[in-house]
mmCIF file of all heavy atoms in Angstrom:
data_model
loop_
_atom_site.group_PDB
_atom_site.id
_atom_site.type_symbol
_atom_site.label_atom_id
_atom_site.label_comp_id
_atom_site.label_asym_id
_atom_site.label_seq_id
_atom_site.Cartn_x
_atom_site.Cartn_y
_atom_site.Cartn_z
ATOM 1 N N ALA W 67 112.057 43.752 163.265
ATOM 2 C CA ALA W 67 113.043 42.773 162.825
ATOM 3 C C ALA W 67 113.906 43.431 161.755
ATOM 4 O O ALA W 67 113.492 44.413 161.130
ATOM 5 C CB ALA W 67 112.370 41.524 162.262
ATOM 6 N N VAL W 68 115.099 42.878 161.542
ATOM 7 C CA VAL W 68 116.009 43.410 160.533
ATOM 8 C C VAL W 68 116.506 42.278 159.644
ATOM 9 O O VAL W 68 116.852 41.196 160.136
ATOM 10 C CB VAL W 68 117.218 44.121 161.178
ATOM 11 C CG1 VAL W 68 118.229 44.552 160.111
ATOM 12 C CG2 VAL W 68 116.762 45.329 161.993
ATOM 13 N N VAL W 69 116.526 42.530 158.334
ATOM 14 C CA VAL W 69 117.157 41.637 157.365
ATOM 15 C C VAL W 69 118.300 42.418 156.729
ATOM 16 O O VAL W 69 118.065 43.446 156.087
ATOM 17 C CB VAL W 69 116.166 41.161 156.281
ATOM 18 C CG1 VAL W 69 116.898 40.336 155.223
ATOM 19 C CG2 VAL W 69 115.046 40.344 156.903
ATOM 20 N N HIS W 70 119.503 41.930 156.915
ATOM 21 C CA HIS W 70 120.688 42.637 156.423
ATOM 22 C C HIS W 70 121.272 41.879 155.232
ATOM 23 O O HIS W 70 121.862 40.811 155.389
ATOM 24 C CB HIS W 70 121.725 42.757 157.534
ATOM 25 C CG HIS W 70 123.038 43.329 157.096
ATOM 26 N ND1 HIS W 70 123.141 44.515 156.399
ATOM 27 C CD2 HIS W 70 124.303 42.868 157.261
ATOM 28 C CE1 HIS W 70 124.410 44.761 156.151
ATOM 29 N NE2 HIS W 70 125.140 43.778 156.649
ATOM 30 N N LEU W 71 121.071 42.438 154.029
ATOM 31 C CA LEU W 71 121.528 41.799 152.799
ATOM 32 C C LEU W 71 122.508 42.666 152.021
ATOM 33 O O LEU W 71 123.092 42.203 151.037
ATOM 34 C CB LEU W 71 120.325 41.469 151.905
ATOM 35 C CG LEU W 71 119.288 40.522 152.511
ATOM 36 C CD1 LEU W 71 118.062 40.427 151.606
ATOM 37 C CD2 LEU W 71 119.880 39.137 152.741
ATOM 38 N N LEU W 98 119.664 46.088 168.538
ATOM 39 C CA LEU W 98 118.659 45.042 168.769
ATOM 40 C C LEU W 98 118.944 44.140 169.967
ATOM 41 O O LEU W 98 118.009 43.527 170.498
ATOM 42 C CB LEU W 98 118.534 44.156 167.526
ATOM 43 C CG LEU W 98 118.055 44.797 166.231
ATOM 44 C CD1 LEU W 98 117.849 43.723 165.170
ATOM 45 C CD2 LEU W 98 116.756 45.578 166.444
ATOM 46 N N PRO W 104 114.202 39.635 165.841
ATOM 47 C CA PRO W 104 115.019 38.818 164.941
ATOM 48 C C PRO W 104 115.914 39.662 164.039
ATOM 49 O O PRO W 104 115.505 40.712 163.538
ATOM 50 C CB PRO W 104 113.988 38.041 164.111
ATOM 51 C CG PRO W 104 112.719 38.115 164.887
ATOM 52 C CD PRO W 104 112.761 39.420 165.614
ATOM 53 N N PHE W 105 117.106 39.146 163.825
ATOM 54 C CA PHE W 105 118.093 39.787 162.958
ATOM 55 C C PHE W 105 118.663 38.716 162.027
ATOM 56 O O PHE W 105 119.456 37.883 162.429
ATOM 57 C CB PHE W 105 119.197 40.423 163.803
ATOM 58 C CG PHE W 105 120.389 40.935 163.031
ATOM 59 C CD1 PHE W 105 120.259 41.444 161.747
ATOM 60 C CD2 PHE W 105 121.649 40.916 163.621
ATOM 61 C CE1 PHE W 105 121.372 41.914 161.052
ATOM 62 C CE2 PHE W 105 122.762 41.387 162.942
ATOM 63 C CZ PHE W 105 122.623 41.880 161.651
ATOM 64 N N VAL W 106 118.185 38.722 160.787
ATOM 65 C CA VAL W 106 118.665 37.772 159.774
ATOM 66 C C VAL W 106 119.687 38.487 158.914
ATOM 67 O O VAL W 106 119.418 39.570 158.394
ATOM 68 C CB VAL W 106 117.502 37.264 158.894
ATOM 69 C CG1 VAL W 106 118.022 36.311 157.820
ATOM 70 C CG2 VAL W 106 116.446 36.572 159.752
ATOM 71 N N PHE W 107 120.852 37.870 158.739
ATOM 72 C CA PHE W 107 121.895 38.517 157.953
ATOM 73 C C PHE W 107 122.517 37.517 156.985
ATOM 74 O O PHE W 107 122.609 36.318 157.260
ATOM 75 C CB PHE W 107 122.983 39.115 158.858
ATOM 76 C CG PHE W 107 123.673 38.109 159.739
ATOM 77 C CD1 PHE W 107 124.869 37.530 159.346
ATOM 78 C CD2 PHE W 107 123.122 37.734 160.954
ATOM 79 C CE1 PHE W 107 125.510 36.600 160.152
ATOM 80 C CE2 PHE W 107 123.746 36.795 161.770
ATOM 81 C CZ PHE W 107 124.945 36.226 161.367
ATOM 82 N N ALA W 108 122.935 38.029 155.827
ATOM 83 C CA ALA W 108 123.577 37.198 154.816
ATOM 84 C C ALA W 108 124.983 36.844 155.255
ATOM 85 O O ALA W 108 125.727 37.690 155.754
ATOM 86 C CB ALA W 108 123.617 37.936 153.483
ATOM 87 N N HIS W 143 119.159 38.029 168.954
ATOM 88 C CA HIS W 143 118.354 37.048 168.227
ATOM 89 C C HIS W 143 118.867 37.022 166.782
ATOM 90 O O HIS W 143 118.169 37.405 165.840
ATOM 91 C CB HIS W 143 116.883 37.418 168.281
ATOM 92 C CG HIS W 143 115.970 36.336 167.792
ATOM 93 N ND1 HIS W 143 114.686 36.182 168.269
ATOM 94 C CD2 HIS W 143 116.139 35.349 166.876
ATOM 95 C CE1 HIS W 143 114.111 35.158 167.654
ATOM 96 N NE2 HIS W 143 114.980 34.640 166.799
ATOM 97 N N ALA W 144 120.112 36.586 166.639
ATOM 98 C CA ALA W 144 120.780 36.629 165.344
ATOM 99 C C ALA W 144 120.633 35.298 164.618
ATOM 100 O O ALA W 144 120.701 34.222 165.223
ATOM 101 C CB ALA W 144 122.263 36.955 165.531
ATOM 102 N N ILE W 145 120.431 35.385 163.296
ATOM 103 C CA ILE W 145 120.191 34.221 162.438
ATOM 104 C C ILE W 145 121.056 34.387 161.194
ATOM 105 O O ILE W 145 120.912 35.357 160.450
ATOM 106 C CB ILE W 145 118.704 34.130 162.040
ATOM 107 C CG1 ILE W 145 117.813 34.026 163.278
ATOM 108 C CG2 ILE W 145 118.467 32.964 161.086
ATOM 109 C CD1 ILE W 145 116.400 34.527 163.051
ATOM 110 N N ALA W 146 121.964 33.446 160.959
ATOM 111 C CA ALA W 146 122.856 33.512 159.805
ATOM 112 C C ALA W 146 122.230 32.795 158.624
ATOM 113 O O ALA W 146 121.909 31.604 158.711
ATOM 114 C CB ALA W 146 124.202 32.886 160.141
ATOM 115 N N ALA W 147 122.056 33.507 157.528
ATOM 116 C CA ALA W 147 121.543 32.913 156.292
ATOM 117 C C ALA W 147 122.711 32.763 155.322
ATOM 118 O O ALA W 147 123.217 33.756 154.798
ATOM 119 C CB ALA W 147 120.458 33.790 155.684
ATOM 120 N N PHE W 149 124.040 31.740 151.868
ATOM 121 C CA PHE W 149 123.480 31.591 150.530
ATOM 122 C C PHE W 149 124.419 30.819 149.616
ATOM 123 O O PHE W 149 125.646 30.985 149.678
ATOM 124 C CB PHE W 149 123.204 32.972 149.914
ATOM 125 C CG PHE W 149 122.107 33.725 150.595
ATOM 126 C CD1 PHE W 149 122.392 34.653 151.579
ATOM 127 C CD2 PHE W 149 120.781 33.478 150.271
ATOM 128 C CE1 PHE W 149 121.390 35.341 152.219
ATOM 129 C CE2 PHE W 149 119.761 34.162 150.904
ATOM 130 C CZ PHE W 149 120.055 35.091 151.883
ATOM 131 N N LEU W 196 112.818 31.631 152.195
ATOM 132 C CA LEU W 196 113.531 31.141 153.375
ATOM 133 C C LEU W 196 113.841 32.285 154.342
ATOM 134 O O LEU W 196 113.752 32.110 155.566
ATOM 135 C CB LEU W 196 114.820 30.440 152.953
ATOM 136 C CG LEU W 196 115.649 29.863 154.101
ATOM 137 C CD1 LEU W 196 114.840 28.862 154.919
ATOM 138 C CD2 LEU W 196 116.932 29.214 153.566
ATOM 139 N N ILE W 197 114.185 33.445 153.825
ATOM 140 C CA ILE W 197 114.429 34.588 154.702
ATOM 141 C C ILE W 197 113.174 34.926 155.497
ATOM 142 O O ILE W 197 113.228 35.178 156.710
ATOM 143 C CB ILE W 197 114.895 35.797 153.875
ATOM 144 C CG1 ILE W 197 116.270 35.532 153.263
ATOM 145 C CG2 ILE W 197 114.938 37.053 154.740
ATOM 146 C CD1 ILE W 197 116.683 36.558 152.248
ATOM 147 N N ALA W 200 112.651 32.411 158.184
ATOM 148 C CA ALA W 200 113.608 32.616 159.265
ATOM 149 C C ALA W 200 113.132 33.699 160.224
ATOM 150 O O ALA W 200 113.209 33.547 161.454
ATOM 151 C CB ALA W 200 114.971 32.975 158.694
ATOM 152 N N LEU W 201 112.638 34.796 159.681
ATOM 153 C CA LEU W 201 112.114 35.867 160.529
ATOM 154 C C LEU W 201 110.978 35.372 161.408
ATOM 155 O O LEU W 201 110.868 35.745 162.580
ATOM 156 C CB LEU W 201 111.624 37.023 159.662
ATOM 157 C CG LEU W 201 112.660 37.942 159.020
ATOM 158 C CD1 LEU W 201 111.962 38.930 158.112
ATOM 159 C CD2 LEU W 201 113.467 38.675 160.084
ATOM 160 N N ALA W 204 112.737 31.135 163.126
ATOM 161 C CA ALA W 204 114.060 30.661 163.554
ATOM 162 C C ALA W 204 114.455 31.209 164.925
ATOM 163 O O ALA W 204 114.351 32.411 165.177
ATOM 164 C CB ALA W 204 115.115 31.054 162.527
ATOM 165 N N LEU W 210 121.153 28.948 158.682
ATOM 166 C CA LEU W 210 120.320 28.448 157.592
ATOM 167 C C LEU W 210 121.156 28.294 156.338
ATOM 168 O O LEU W 210 122.037 29.119 156.066
ATOM 169 C CB LEU W 210 119.185 29.434 157.300
ATOM 170 C CG LEU W 210 118.192 29.746 158.404
ATOM 171 C CD1 LEU W 210 117.392 30.975 158.024
ATOM 172 C CD2 LEU W 210 117.267 28.572 158.621
#
Side-chain angles (χ1 to χ4, degrees):
V68 174
V69 175
H70 174 52
L71 300 172
L98 297 186
F105 171 32
V106 178
F107 59 95
H143 191 150
I145 301 155
F149 292 96
L196 181 58
I197 293 170
L201 285 175
L210 299 166

